[in-house]
Amino acid sequence: MISMILKLYKILVTNENVFTQIRENFKKGPKGIIKSIFLILVAIYIFCVMIGMYYLYMSGTYNYLAGNGNQHMMPFVSMMVAVAVIMFFGFTSVASSYYTGKGEEFLMSLPLTPGQFFGAKFTVSFIADAIFGVGMFTISSIVYGYNEGLLVNPLFYLGFLVSAIAFSVTAVFVIYLFFILILYFVPALRKKKLLTGVATVLLILFCMCYGFMNSSVSISFSNPEFVSEKIGSSIDMIFEFSSKVPVFMYISGALNGKIIPILILAALGCVELFVLVPLVGKMYVKSLNGFSDEKTKKISSEKAEEVIKKDVRSGSVFHALFVRDFRNVVREPAFFANGPLFVYLFPVIFLLSFGIGFIAAGESIDGLLVSFRTKIAKLTPEDLNSIKYYTALIGAALVIFCGTFANLATTSFSREGKSLNDLKAMPVKFDMIVKVKFWHALLYIGISNVVMINIMAAAYAILKIPFSLTDFIAICFMMVIFSVSVSIFLIFIDMFIDTINPKLNWENPIAATKQNFNVLWSMLISMLTIVILLLLIIFVLPKKMISIVILSILYVIISAPVGAGYFRYAEKRLQDM
């Protein structure tokens, strides 16, 4: 049974393991090697930042506990934090991959037992979701072991290994059991869009929590006692919970090298892996029945008559293709949640993160508004002109950021997948297909502008900035022309990346977005472009609106031949895809 689970695991994890893709790139010559090295460096940088932030929190946690004589609680706190992280990412992952589509249905048709199939799914989720939690548990364990002098005790490492495996397995199993029980007994909830919506909400919460942590770390540099105060209040809540359920405190003693807690955790992990997972497999497979989004809906004779008598008007071919492309994105939760949804949510996440940071620092919103208005009232006309300039500039940068990060251009053809052949078989010119992809990507630049103008209008009213209506319209106009001119150039670059190397062979739509290296290259190019433009406009060009106009014109001039060349190339390349 175990060998079959491992074989299924390799199948399910195909095209979803980033490390495998990086390893394969080393076999593709100099370009692949450079790409892999660059991705590794980016990953190392991100991990170092996250490790530094978490180490700061865990050091503060130990100091707080030791100061109160409760350092023996450190293993319990470490486990609770790690379990919470695994549960959070596990819910997000399981919600988005509980049912993956036709590829999974094909595997279910093979002569496999439910225990084997669910065991492979469980293994994929366990390995993917436990990494963050076990990593965090490792950091906190090192902090605890170093301060308590346990790093020379072999039982400390045995207790760490058994504890990490046991609580990781338990967390992932509880997540799956939660979904299985709900979907098994409530078939009406077996909807892929519903689970993707849950995953999206959890992702938003993660962004807000990360913004809070980042703000807290920044505040701690100017106020070292801030982290200790916040950690102290959290530890007090955990201490109160542990006093009500002492069994958890006893089990967490495994990190101190105690034999009985180690044996209890080892037994718990074995029971879950070799007994409960195979038993739950039958319920999991049954909970997948009727999960497909493809359903037939009957209509009444009156409704059919209404449809027949309806005045049907034919539109242009361009309109039909544009609507098709738009609906493909909106109707597929994986495409919408990992792209266009960001356009609407980024301003909300951005504002909430800063708001939470100010509140966490003890600042009053009313106090900040009064202070800001007082400073604005003292500004000279020259200062106000600078504010107009920087407002248009920053607004345009955010629009470019949101619009290009919608990932419409850089997944233009990757989103089609195997249906690209169906699109090419239509009696439609290839150049029109490419133009539809371009205008669809540009649509979200326009939506980003509308969202940003609304935010600026709200700020204009709330902060009572002494600008006339004409000044406000001029700022918005400059923001729009600059963001659109730069975005058009970036859209051509992004579409060129996806045209050269589209990712068409996928079963899970997430593979076309999250697991597509084209998206990463697009993000890096967009961020680099924004940084260069900001540095150029702030430190080189005159700080006047005319600078924005000149750059906008230059980008239009550059984009014209780039776009013309791309359309010719894409039309020929589309024939060979």
Side-chain angles (χ1 to χ4, degrees):
M1 180 176 177
I2 295 178
S3 61
M4 180 58 69
I5 288 177
L6 292 177
K7 292 178 181 179
L8 287 174
Y9 167 78
K10 292 180 180 180
I11 296 174
L12 291 173
V13 83
T14 302
N15 294 326
E16 295 185 8
N17 193 335
V18 176
F19 298 104
T20 301
Q21 296 182 37
I22 291 176
R23 185 176 67 249
E24 291 298 324
N25 282 334
F26 277 105
K27 303 176 183 178
K28 297 180 180 179
K31 292 183 179 179
I33 294 173
I34 293 173
K35 181 190 294 186
S36 295
I37 293 174
F38 183 76
L39 292 174
I40 291 172
L41 292 176
V42 172
I44 291 174
Y45 169 76
I46 294 174
F47 281 121
C48 287
V49 171
M50 297 183 70
I51 289 172
M53 291 172 59
Y54 189 67
Y55 175 80
L56 177 65
Y57 272 92
M58 286 298 102
S59 297
T61 299
Y62 179 83
N63 293 333
Y64 178 84
L65 291 172
N68 294 291
N70 294 321
Q71 58 266 35
H72 63 280
M73 283 189 59
M74 186 67 178
F76 174 75
V77 173
S78 302
M79 285 187 182
M80 289 297 101
V81 173
V83 168
V85 171
I86 294 175
M87 293 285 284
F88 182 86
F89 283 103
F91 268 105
T92 304
S93 174
V94 172
S96 59
S97 63
Y98 191 89
Y99 172 82
T100 57
K102 296 180 179 179
E104 195 170 62
E105 292 179 357
F106 171 74
L107 291 176
M108 290 171 61
S109 66
L110 298 177
L112 302 171
T113 64
Q116 292 173 338
F117 183 73
F118 177 64
K121 288 280 292 185
F122 180 87
T123 304
V124 172
S125 298
F126 170 73
I127 294 177
D129 302 331
I131 292 177
F132 288 101
V134 172
M136 296 173 73
F137 183 62
T138 303
I139 295 171
S140 57
S141 298
I142 292 174
V143 171
Y144 175 69
Y146 175 78
N147 286 282
E148 294 295 312
L150 296 173
L151 296 181
V152 295
N153 184 1
L155 290 177
F156 168 78
Y157 298 98
L158 177 62
F160 162 77
L161 182 62
V162 172
S163 300
I165 295 175
F167 71 68
S168 300
V169 169
T170 302
V172 177
F173 179 76
V174 168
I175 293 169
Y176 262 109
L177 185 63
F178 174 80
F179 279 102
I180 288 172
L181 291 176
I182 292 179
L183 297 174
Y184 183 84
F185 291 105
V186 188
L189 297 179
R190 298 174 190 173
K191 297 179 180 179
K192 189 177 178 182
K193 293 181 179 180
L194 178 63
L195 293 184
T196 307
V198 172
T200 303
V201 172
L202 291 174
L203 185 61
I204 296 169
L205 292 175
F206 168 75
C207 294
M208 293 173 60
C209 293
Y210 180 81
F212 169 72
M213 290 183 63
N214 189 34
S215 301
S216 301
V217 172
S218 301
I219 295 170
S220 67
F221 288 110
S222 58
N223 183 12
E225 297 180 354
F226 173 78
V227 173
S228 297
E229 294 174 358
K230 296 301 176 184
I231 289 176
S233 60
S234 301
I235 295 301
D236 292 337
M237 295 174 60
I238 296 176
F239 185 79
E240 182 180 356
F241 171 76
S242 64
S243 62
K244 297 179 181 179
V245 191
V247 65
F248 291 121
M249 279 292 295
Y250 180 77
I251 293 176
S252 64
L255 199 60
N256 292 317
K258 296 180 180 179
I259 297 297
I260 295 179
I262 292 176
L263 293 176
I264 292 174
L265 288 175
L268 176 64
C270 291
V271 169
E272 289 173 338
L273 285 176
F274 301 108
V275 178
L276 296 181
V277 169
L279 288 177
V280 174
K282 293 182 180 180
M283 295 180 66
Y284 170 72
V285 172
K286 289 183 179 180
S287 69
L288 296 179
N289 293 336
F291 223 109
S292 177
D293 290 333
E294 298 176 4
K295 294 180 174 61
T296 302
K297 183 179 180 181
K298 294 183 178 180
I299 61 175
S300 62
S301 58
E302 293 80 5
K303 184 66 176 179
E305 189 69 21
E306 181 182 345
V307 172
I308 293 173
K309 293 181 178 180
K310 185 177 180 180
D311 183 17
V312 180
R313 298 178 182 178
S314 61
S316 64
V317 176
F318 179 87
H319 178 266
L321 289 175
F322 187 89
V323 172
R324 172 194 175 276
D325 204 53
F326 179 82
R327 289 179 175 175
N328 283 348
V329 172
V330 175
R331 289 176 175 176
E332 175 52 59
F335 293 157
F336 185 72
N338 294 293
L341 184 62
F342 183 80
V343 175
Y344 305 102
L345 293 182
F346 175 76
V348 178
I349 296 172
F350 183 79
L351 293 174
L352 286 177
S353 298
F354 275 92
I356 293 173
F358 284 126
I359 294 172
E363 298 284 350
S364 170
I365 300 296
D366 294 336
L368 288 172
L369 291 176
V370 172
S371 176
F372 187 84
R373 291 168 183 168
T374 303
K375 293 179 180 179
I376 287 292
K378 297 178 181 179
L379 294 178
T380 63
E382 291 77 12
D383 294 331
L384 290 175
N385 287 331
S386 297
I387 291 178
K388 296 177 188 176
Y389 173 78
Y390 285 115
T391 301
L393 183 62
I394 295 173
L398 291 176
V399 168
I400 296 169
F401 182 80
C402 292
T404 55
F405 275 47
N407 299 329
L408 267 298
T410 194
T411 59
S412 297
F413 298 104
S414 295
R415 291 194 311 271
E416 297 291 342
K418 298 175 183 178
S419 65
L420 181 63
N421 290 328
D422 298 332
L423 180 61
K424 291 167 59 177
M426 295 181 181
V428 178
K429 294 182 179 179
F430 286 172
D431 65 334
M432 185 171 292
I433 296 175
V434 180
K435 290 176 182 177
V436 164
K437 301 290 185 181
F438 167 77
W439 283 105
H440 188 192
L442 191 60
L443 170 67
Y444 282 92
I445 302 298
I447 295 175
S448 299
N449 270 299
V450 173
V451 172
M452 193 57 58
I453 289 174
N454 285 316
I455 293 176
M456 291 171 59
Y460 176 73
I462 294 173
L463 300 177
K464 298 181 180 179
I465 302 176
F467 291 160
S468 64
L469 181 59
T470 304
D471 292 333
F472 179 76
I473 294 175
I475 292 172
C476 294
F477 178 75
M478 290 297 175
M479 179 188 73
V480 171
I481 63 169
F482 186 53
S483 61
V484 171
S485 59
V486 175
S487 297
I488 288 175
F489 175 77
L490 291 176
I491 288 173
F492 285 136
I493 299 298
D494 291 347
M495 291 185 67
F496 179 72
I497 293 173
D498 194 57
T499 306
I500 292 177
N501 186 33
K503 187 171 185 177
L504 303 175
N505 187 20
W506 50 263
E507 296 293 342
N508 189 343
I510 293 178
T513 52
K514 278 187 175 182
Q515 298 158 8
N516 191 343
F517 277 122
N518 295 344
V519 174
L520 177 61
W521 288 117
S522 170
M523 293 170 61
L524 295 175
I525 292 174
S526 299
M527 292 176 66
L528 182 62
T529 301
I530 293 172
V531 171
I532 292 175
L533 286 174
L534 291 176
L535 293 176
L536 186 64
I537 293 179
I538 293 175
F539 297 106
V540 179
L541 297 176
K543 297 177 179 58
K544 297 180 179 180
M545 290 294 189
I546 189 65
S547 300
I548 297 178
V549 175
I550 292 173
L551 274 178
S552 300
I553 295 174
L554 287 176
Y555 263 95
V556 171
I557 294 173
I558 295 172
S559 299
V562 171
Y566 167 73
F567 281 127
R568 286 197 296 269
Y569 167 78
E571 185 178 358
K572 296 178 181 178
R573 172 72 176 127
L574 192 57
Q575 298 176 2
D576 301 327
M577 285 187 188

